[in-house]
Amino acid sequence: MASSDKQNRPKARLAKGFRDVDANEIRGLKRMLRIIEGVYENYGFEPVEQPFIEYTEALGKFLPDQDRPNEGVFSFQDDDEQWLSLRYDLTAPLARYVAENQQFLPTPFRSYRQGWVFRNEKPGPGRYRQFMQFDADTVGSASPAADAEVCMMAADTMEALGIPRGQYVVKVFNRKVLDGIMETVGVSGQENAGRRLIVLRAIDKLDRLGMRGVEQLLGEGRKDESGDFTKGANLNAAGIEIIRELLDPNKDSDDAIASIDLRLRDSKIGQEGRMELEEMSKLFKSAGYLSDRIRLDPSVVRGLEYYTGPVFECELLMDAKDEKGNLVRFGSVGGGGRYDGLVSRFISQAVPATGFSIGVSRLYSALKLLGQTQTAETLAPVVVLVMDKERQGDYQQMVQQLRTAGIRAEMYVGTGKIPAQMKYADKRGSPLVVIQGGDEKAKGEVTLKDLALGSQLASGVESREEYASQRLAQVSVPEADLVSAVKKMLERK
């Protein structure tokens, strides 16, 4: 019988692609989210929430930044045979919400939201199936001013989180300009879809491969260090030169816009994108956001089936070392752009929209390595030991006195004896314990034991006599002075 029970027990194991989160990280995340929320509120954005689950058809036929229609989502069928899915981002549910409530919302509608999203994808190192995003969107404005404001807000958020100017940058470009480039170099139209994708992916790899690597992918192809060959787009020399000039990283915003004007003078859509970038650039300068914070970067290629105009990406520029001493480069911690086609899927009229999404988990990991998370700001609770179970009411009164004074405290509620209670307090990381046995009660006293100091003193003690002489870690005080004595002891932490 016992063997059968053992066989039927479920195995305690974490699902692949998911992770547990401990108390310190939760507190650090909450602090980070409060700071982000404060910036968004300062810009006049309002909070709104949508549910984790939407009708599958409401989420659309594609994922952002994915070329896998109807894949990548967790779905199930309801009793009425309707398909439901866990949300894969926060933007598609927002589009549904705006379409459903448009008559009640101001135009433009400026909102922010944060929460978990889910991707049914193959997990890998640092790549999870559940992660948190924090979004801000303006729905109902076609003005480039709305795009520019989102970029400025992203820059302000980085600095509010303690990332110094010069160690982050918000990179901006425009999908219309990219479309104009595709026209000019001869890879527009459905018949050139494959070559166009090669060109866009080559541009996207500028930071990693450098200009020479990009030029190879634009031409016949590139062989990497392992000997693997990647087929190129087979552009002619003139086409490669156009893209090379537009990707020149040494140009400032004015020169980059002038270059777009020159090279794409015959592309209507390219000129539309240029004018939007020009207007955004003027707004950045007027508001004091120079190229050390926000800059034009043609290598920003996002959401090929998703974004319709300006696109942006926030990148951390500094390197740091992880717990093992390995060098870590953070790269992108957020991005977004204009998605004018998403809300109009539900209604007959066009509804312009733009927004920015922060990858909360990725950004938190970066802040942690940079020492900006302040996860240790919350002390573990003071533990009141239960020396006599008949006197649990007295111990509960002590806990209530401490809590009323704003001190985190708990009474031990397990069944263990004193050694087990001390071990519990130590595992909790408690700064001190409160002890009142029969002797202390008779004297009208309580004993406070500083666990951290006691551990430090004990580590250097070589004899029992020496240990007995080290009484700084333990002190007896009148019971009436419990709160003031605990506060004094905690001030040393």
Side-chain angles (χ1 to χ4, degrees), residues 137-421:
D137 297 80
T138 297
V139 181
S141 172
S143 170
D147 303 290
E149 185 179 53
V150 169
C151 295
M152 292 186 282
M153 188 166 67
D156 287 350
T157 299
M158 295 301 110
E159 294 191 16
L161 289 168
I163 300 171
R165 196 167 299 183
Q167 294 193 358
Y168 73 89
V169 67
V170 180
K171 302 190 295 185
V172 181
F173 206 55
N174 195 298
R175 281 303 314 278
K176 293 177 182 177
V177 173
L178 288 172
D179 289 341
I181 294 172
M182 299 304 106
E183 282 183 354
T184 304
V185 301
V187 292
S188 61
Q190 187 59 38
E191 68 276 11
N192 289 307
R195 293 177 67 203
R196 185 165 60 250
L197 188 59
I198 293 174
V199 173
L200 290 169
R201 285 176 173 169
I203 293 172
D204 189 38
K205 294 175 181 176
L206 177 64
D207 284 347
R208 185 163 61 87
L209 299 181
M211 188 65 74
R212 176 58 182 157
V214 171
E215 289 177 355
Q216 290 173 333
L217 290 174
L218 294 175
E220 294 181 358
R222 176 180 179 273
K223 182 181 288 188
D224 62 21
E225 295 175 355
S226 69
D228 289 340
F229 182 78
T230 302
K231 183 181 177 181
N234 286 307
L235 298 184
N236 59 33
I240 294 175
E241 174 59 24
I242 288 173
I243 294 176
R244 190 199 65 77
E245 182 177 335
L246 291 173
L247 291 179
D248 186 351
N250 297 316
K251 292 180 179 178
D252 61 20
S253 295
D254 291 339
D255 288 342
I257 291 171
S259 181
I260 293 169
D261 190 22
L262 176 65
R263 291 293 186 175
L264 304 185
R265 58 181 176 272
D266 296 326
S267 171
K268 180 182 177 181
I269 192 168
Q271 288 297 328
E272 286 179 8
R274 176 195 62 79
M275 289 187 288
E276 290 173 359
L277 285 177
E278 189 170 22
E279 187 172 341
M280 291 175 68
S281 183
K282 289 178 181 177
L283 290 169
F284 295 147
K285 289 179 182 178
S286 297
Y289 292 78
L290 304 181
S291 59
D292 61 336
R293 304 181 74 189
I294 304 175
R295 71 164 184 253
L296 266 58
D297 190 327
S299 70
V300 180
V301 179
R302 295 183 60 83
L304 303 181
E305 299 287 342
Y306 202 72
Y307 295 115
T308 58
V311 286
F312 14 90
E313 194 164 87
C314 184
E315 182 176 331
L316 301 188
L317 304 176
M318 78 293 281
D319 294 331
K321 290 186 177 180
D322 61 18
E323 294 85 350
K324 297 180 180 179
N326 299 317
L327 196 64
V328 177
R329 186 170 187 189
F330 303 114
S332 175
V333 293
R338 178 160 289 279
Y339 52 97
D340 289 347
L342 203 55
V343 180
S344 60
R345 291 177 53 245
F346 299 95
I347 54 180
S348 58
Q349 65 190 84
V351 182
T354 187
F356 182 82
S357 178
I358 290 175
V360 171
S361 302
R362 186 174 182 83
L363 180 56
Y364 178 79
S365 296
L367 293 176
K368 187 176 180 181
L369 288 180
L370 294 171
Q372 295 289 346
T373 54
Q374 297 185 15
T375 55
E377 61 180 298
T378 303
L379 275 175
V382 172
V383 175
V384 177
L385 304 188
V386 176
M387 308 295 287
D388 181 352
K389 289 185 179 180
E390 299 300 320
R391 294 187 49 237
Q392 285 186 330
D394 294 340
Y395 301 133
Q396 192 65 59
Q397 285 181 13
M398 295 179 193
V399 167
Q400 289 304 115
Q401 290 177 39
L402 294 171
R403 290 171 179 166
T404 302
I407 299 169
R408 290 190 78 204
E410 64 173 88
M411 181 184 76
Y412 178 76
V413 295
T415 58
K417 296 184 178 179
I418 300 307
Q421 295 187 39

